[in-house]
Amino acid sequence: MHVKPVASALHAAAARGRRLAEGWAGSPRALDVLTALSCLALMALDLPGLAAADNSLSGPLAAVVLAAGCSTLLVRRRAPWVSYLAALLFIGWLHELTLIQFALYSVGRYRGRRAGILATLGYVAFALLVFSVPGWPEPRVESLSSFLSLVVPIGVLAAAVGIAAYRHDLVSELAARRAESAVLQAVEQERTSVARDVHDFVGRELTLLTVRSEVLSTRARETSYGPDFEELADTARRAHLVLNEIIVQRGERAPTPGVDGLSALAEESGRAGSPVRLALDPDAYALSPLRQAAVYRVVQECLTNAAKHAHGETIEVAVTADGPRLRIAVSNTLPARTADAAGRAPVSAGSGTASMSERVRSLGGELTTTRTQDAYEVVATLPRG
């Protein structure tokens, strides 16, 4: 009777364990542990020699000392100099060069070029000092040049790889910040554009309301309704004033076209080499100017993206106003990508899609993109009212 609850509990525990393992496996802490274990495995190859050498270490004690040295790599991100100092100790005491490679890489990776170069110079100088002590390395190399041919490449290569990884991280972070900045800027520009459209369209309606209410107030001045129409006119004027204060106009700009501008967009795209098949619901002409502007901007951005990524392919554009929702669907097939074509693929930060999504969301709608191996489709839905 208790089999099912126990099985369910075991299944839930196993699933939780898998999630924890997957999350931990991709973490920096897991990479540090793996690095320390790898260093210990390489150093363990020297255990017989360390036990036989004249350094007062037995086999088990040598294993403990090596494990302690490798454990300093667990803090290599926050304190790479700890493993570096431990590595220098190992060089002078145990004549061990494995840990210094990991330490120099860590200094270069997490502290940059200057620290990596200083650490490498310090390591070479320290090794040269130890080289002058009789009996090291064992057996003693025949000349200083043969010693340097061993010590210098180890340090320079490890530090250089770490510095290169550090620079790669900086470049990747800079690219990510630039892409994020471009998306945020595009969203902000789209918000400004939407605000201006609101100002234009709503402001026009408020102006008409103000004029009409003032006319009615004049006509009804001698009646009992006069004060009401006067208050209505004052309210409309205040609303228009508040709208002008909230949305600051920045320079002159052309008004955003509506659905009547889609034909011109399609013709322009066709002349550029990307033919468009446009299906426009006649009911779309009855939409409010704000929603018509949204339709125009979404289609415009989709045609621009298609020209970048699928130049020459036919683009299907369908605008339907069925029921309470307005639907905009733009799709195109994707060309077969050769190796050369992949190398020439245009760079895009995705800011255009962010702009479209921001405009659609500002009107209470949603935008989805679907990409398959052969086609790409953008679907935006908006409330009609």
Side-chain angles (χ1 to χ4, degrees):
M1 295 177 62
H2 299 285
V3 174
K4 288 186 177 180
V6 171
S8 300
L10 290 177
H11 180 74
R16 191 179 302 108
R18 283 196 302 270
R19 288 194 298 270
L20 291 175
E22 291 173 357
W24 188 83
S27 66
R29 173 62 62 184
L31 184 59
D32 292 341
V33 172
L34 181 61
T35 300
L37 292 176
S38 300
C39 180
L40 180 60
L42 292 174
M43 294 173 69
L45 299 177
D46 291 338
L47 277 176
L50 292 175
D54 185 17
N55 50 34
S56 303
L57 288 180
S58 63
L61 184 57
V64 172
V65 170
L66 294 184
C70 292
S71 66
T72 60
L73 293 173
L74 297 177
V75 295
R76 65 194 186 109
R77 298 174 189 270
R78 300 190 305 273
W81 295 107
V82 174
S83 57
Y84 176 78
L85 294 176
L88 293 183
L89 175 63
F90 275 26
I91 292 175
W93 179 24
L94 305 177
H95 311 160
E96 173 59 58
L97 297 176
T98 303
L99 181 59
I100 192 63
Q101 301 174 55
F102 289 86
L104 287 174
Y105 169 83
S106 300
V107 172
R109 174 69 185 275
Y110 301 111
R111 289 298 180 268
R113 181 178 61 181
R114 180 177 299 179
I117 293 176
L118 290 176
T120 303
L121 293 177
Y123 151 70
V124 173
F126 181 79
L128 183 60
L129 177 64
V130 175
F131 170 78
S132 63
V133 177
W136 191 92
E138 196 65 49
R140 185 180 179 86
V141 293
E142 296 179 355
S143 65
L144 178 62
S145 61
S146 60
F147 164 75
L148 294 178
S149 68
L150 172 67
V151 171
V152 175
I154 288 178
V156 172
L157 181 60
V161 173
I163 293 171
Y166 177 81
R167 291 178 61 85
H168 180 268
D169 290 343
L170 289 180
V171 172
S172 299
E173 183 179 359
L174 179 60
R177 289 185 178 181
R178 284 178 176 174
E180 182 181 2
S181 176
V183 171
L184 292 177
Q185 183 179 6
V187 169
E188 188 62 31
Q189 290 176 348
E190 191 63 24
R191 285 177 178 173
T192 302
S193 177
V194 171
R196 288 172 176 172
D197 288 341
V198 170
H199 180 276
D200 292 345
F201 302 135
V202 178
R204 182 181 61 186
E205 299 299 325
L206 283 176
T207 300
L208 294 176
L209 176 60
T210 302
V211 173
R212 183 61 177 164
S213 59
E214 288 177 347
V215 171
L216 292 176
S217 174
T218 302
R219 291 178 179 177
R221 184 169 298 169
E222 302 301 329
T223 68
S224 60
Y225 300 105
D228 294 333
F229 285 114
E230 181 91 19
E231 183 181 356
L232 179 61
D234 289 339
T235 302
R237 282 192 294 269
R238 287 196 303 270
H240 202 178
L241 180 61
V242 169
L243 183 63
N244 286 332
E245 291 177 350
I246 293 176
I247 305 174
V248 179
Q249 294 293 310
R250 298 179 180 177
E252 298 296 329
R253 65 176 184 87
T256 303
V259 295
D260 53 353
L262 295 180
S263 299
L265 269 183
E267 293 176 1
E268 181 181 353
S269 177
R271 289 194 300 269
S274 297
V276 176
R277 281 202 287 262
L278 176 62
L280 182 59
D281 193 329
D283 291 341
Y285 289 97
L287 296 170
S288 67
L290 203 57
R291 278 162 177 73
Q292 290 197 36
V295 173
Y296 182 88
R297 290 303 188 196
V298 169
V299 174
Q300 183 183 45
E301 183 60 37
C302 289
L303 295 184
T304 301
N305 288 340
K308 289 180 182 178
H309 303 287
H311 182 71
E313 302 294 330
T314 300
I315 307 169
E316 304 283 347
V317 178
V319 180
T320 56
D322 186 16
R325 306 290 291 181
L326 169 69
R327 186 175 187 271
I328 312 159
V330 183
S331 62
N332 59 269
T333 57
L334 296 175
R337 292 171 63 86
T338 62
D340 293 338
R344 298 191 302 269
V347 178
S348 175
S351 57
T353 302
S355 297
M356 286 192 296
S357 181
E358 176 65 23
R359 178 178 283 271
V360 171
R361 284 200 305 270
S362 69
L363 295 177
E366 60 181 8
L367 183 140
T368 59
T369 60
T370 304
R371 184 187 183 97
T372 64
Q373 186 176 0
D374 303 320
Y376 185 78
E377 183 180 35
V378 176
V379 176
T381 57
L382 293 167
R384 292 182 61 178

